[in-house]
Amino acid sequence: MYIHIVEIGESVRGEDVYIVQSGSGEINDNLMELLIMINACKIASASRVTAVIPCFPYARQDKKDKLAGLDDGSVKTRSKNYDWKFRSRAPISAKLVANMLSVAGADHIITMDLHASQIQGFFDIPVDNLYAEPAVLKWIKENIPEWKNSIIVSPDAGGAKRVTSIADRLNVEFALIHKERKKANEVASMVLVGDVKDKIAILVDDMADTCGTIVHAADRLVEAGATKVYAILTHGIFSGPAISRINNACFEAVVVTNTIPQDGHMRDCPKIQCIDVSMMFAEAVRRTHNGESVSYLFSNVPY
């Protein structure tokens, strides 16, 4: 059995401590390491302990809801009699993680693009939820020469607020794709709301796991007349068949931030490009330590 043993190498008494650990890879091991590290610093008399978590673990389990479909449009079922319409006994794991961080001794959380903004309300301690949007806007303007002829697209209705914000700041149009699922294990049909004909379509979402949704969305956009399709995602999990799906898809590029390490994914898939958001977290740490406002980072990229 693997046991996490943490020993702080120097005195943290009275210090303002920042612990960086992303909720990716071996998520449960990494989360346990983070909790033990926070507690070790706290009982060593650190004045404040801030957990810097670029990708918040278990963020997708933020409420009891209809049974979540897989990215490829199918639905998990436990038995023929399983009621797939509602998960009455599903955990709200994001709230549990919030409780564990608080009990371990965290005084402050810094993260990026929470899957649902209500997760901030799960904490009784301050949470700074940074946004990748400023870095995304910068990448679009620097890497897509014809960006003024683009349209920002959400692959589902839940991301409408995100794409409208980006579209407004670029002064371009937006569209969304509505997924319809008739019954369990039936691939969802996709209804495009908006006109993408002869435009560069930029799919924007907060995360991609197996990439079934964004690949289907890209195909739908090409069918509707889009000249090129880009995908821009904050958290690139890329599990299971994700890499092969992207390689076989019609994307010009799939752009992700490095809230999750992407070196291996970029080696296996030349279409994947990375936006470095380390400066945003570094500036958030500096401003927090000096007692300055962090809201500047919600609309600007530090240099």
Side-chain angles (χ1 to χ4, degrees):
M1 184 175 68
Y2 182 68
I3 300 174
H4 295 286
I5 299 175
V6 170
E7 183 177 346
I8 310 300
E10 60 182 89
S11 174
V12 295
R13 183 178 295 274
E15 299 289 348
D16 188 12
V17 178
Y18 295 82
I19 303 172
V20 182
Q21 178 77 294
S22 197
S24 61
E26 297 295 332
I27 295 174
N28 295 328
D29 284 349
N30 291 346
L31 177 59
M32 200 66 207
E33 280 183 356
L34 175 61
L35 294 171
I36 294 172
M37 192 82 173
I38 291 169
N39 190 250
C41 291
K42 201 66 181 176
I43 63 177
S45 300
S47 67
R48 181 173 64 172
V49 179
T50 300
V52 182
I53 312 173
C55 181
F56 193 83
Y58 292 95
R60 283 182 287 184
Q61 296 181 359
D62 61 305
K63 61 183 179 295
K64 292 187 179 184
D65 203 350
K66 292 182 179 179
L67 183 61
L70 294 174
D71 245 358
D72 59 5
S74 62
V75 177
K76 292 180 180 177
T77 55
R78 295 180 185 172
S79 70
K80 290 182 179 178
N81 298 322
Y82 184 69
D83 180 9
W84 68 277
K85 292 183 179 178
F86 194 80
R87 296 183 296 179
S88 60
R89 289 170 293 280
I92 305 177
S93 304
K95 170 63 174 170
L96 176 61
V97 172
N99 289 344
M100 289 193 295
L101 288 166
S102 297
V103 171
D107 299 297
H108 184 203
I109 304 293
I110 300 175
T111 187
M112 177 171 278
D113 274 7
L114 286 169
H115 186 63
S117 57
Q118 71 258 26
I119 293 175
Q120 294 178 78
F122 293 171
F123 289 89
D124 293 323
I125 57 177
V127 177
D128 284 319
N129 180 32
L130 305 179
Y131 299 100
E133 181 179 309
V136 168
L137 292 167
K138 184 171 181 284
W139 189 93
I140 290 173
K141 290 178 179 178
E142 292 179 354
N143 294 275
I144 304 178
E146 313 92 342
W147 64 267
K148 291 183 180 179
N149 186 41
S150 66
I151 184 167
I152 313 300
V153 186
S154 172
D156 55 50
K161 186 176 179 181
R162 185 181 300 108
V163 300
T164 52
S165 176
I166 293 174
D168 286 346
R169 293 187 64 180
L170 290 174
N171 196 26
V172 298
E173 295 180 2
F174 69 91
L176 63 86
I177 292 174
H178 175 60
K179 292 184 291 185
E180 292 183 339
R181 183 174 291 116
K182 302 300 182 184
K183 58 182 179 180
N185 296 321
E186 182 177 300
V187 175
S189 64
M190 289 189 161
V191 179
L192 175 62
V193 182
D195 182 14
V196 301
K197 186 172 177 59
D198 298 327
K199 293 186 178 180
I200 297 171
I202 304 174
L203 279 163
V204 177
D205 207 355
D206 66 325
M207 66 173 60
D209 191 352
T210 60
C211 292
T213 295
I214 63 166
V215 168
H216 287 157
D219 291 339
R220 182 70 186 85
L221 291 168
V222 171
E223 289 173 9
T227 56
K228 294 180 181 178
V229 180
Y230 291 83
I232 303 181
L233 317 153
T234 305
H235 310 298
I237 302 170
F238 300 140
S239 64
I243 298 300
S244 62
R245 283 175 172 172
I246 293 172
N247 280 326
N248 296 325
C250 56
F251 293 111
E252 295 292 316
V254 175
V255 185
V256 292
T257 72
N258 57 347
T259 56
I260 296 172
Q262 299 295 339
D263 292 343
H265 297 145
M266 292 172 71
R267 282 195 301 269
D268 297 335
C269 181
K271 292 183 180 180
I272 296 177
Q273 299 182 31
C274 191
I275 298 173
D276 184 9
V277 292
S278 59
M279 280 302 296
M280 296 187 74
F281 283 98
E283 181 66 9
V285 169
R286 188 194 70 79
R287 285 170 176 263
T288 300
H289 178 69
N290 293 329
E292 300 173 19
S293 172
V294 178
S295 59
Y296 170 84
L297 300 174
F298 296 164
S299 55
N300 297 276
V301 179
Y303 293 96

